[in-house]
Amino acid sequence: MDPRPPLADAHGSQQRSGGERLEVAAAVLALLADRTRLALMERLGRGEADVTTLVEATGAARPSVSQHLAKLRLAGLVSTRKDGRRVVYSLRHGHLRRLVDEALNVADHQIGSLAPHD
């Protein structure tokens, strides 16, 4: 299943069924429910990077990083561009950065037994 929603304006004001929205959101969250992919998304949230940089940032093996990046790219969560012989990856939009940041904030609260807040 392609988790990318149909094209609409910048914030998706095009009408969609609630079920479709939930299914796409669940697919995105399922992709992020992997430590390596989450680490890749967190690093890409700080700016674009090539595979070598992402291997260093995640500590995962190069073939593993490449496979995870392929899944994220096919799902439409990351974009690529060529820079000479290098392929440079970036997040498709800021919503993904904020989603990952919030997931990590929740983890910080649970690990540190911090009080809930808005």
Side-chain angles (χ1 to χ4, degrees):
M1 187 193 103
D2 184 359
R4 289 180 289 191
L7 294 178
D9 66 25
H11 284 84
S13 65
Q14 182 183 62
Q15 289 287 333
R16 290 186 196 80
S17 71
E20 180 184 10
R21 268 182 95 207
L22 290 172
E23 188 161 332
V24 170
V28 169
L29 292 172
L31 276 168
L32 298 180
D34 176 273
R35 185 193 181 289
T36 301
R37 284 193 291 269
L38 190 59
L40 290 168
M41 298 293 285
E42 188 274 332
R43 172 54 188 85
L44 291 172
R46 291 184 271 134
E48 61 183 19
D50 63 5
V51 174
T52 301
T53 302
L54 294 169
V55 166
E56 292 170 2
T58 63
R62 188 178 192 90
S64 175
V65 167
S66 293
Q67 289 176 356
H68 286 296
L69 287 168
K71 287 181 182 182
L72 294 170
R73 185 178 43 78
L74 288 172
L77 302 184
V78 299
S79 299
T80 61
R81 70 174 177 82
K82 292 285 261 178
D83 182 19
R85 292 178 37 196
R86 295 181 324 140
V87 176
V88 179
Y89 292 83
S90 61
L91 295 183
R92 289 265 322 241
H93 49 74
H95 293 292
L96 292 166
R97 180 186 48 76
R98 290 186 295 277
L99 178 63
V100 170
D101 286 348
E102 286 301 321
L104 294 171
N105 286 335
V106 169
D108 290 341
H109 275 72
Q110 289 187 323
I111 291 167
S113 299
L114 302 174
H117 63 84
D118 268 343

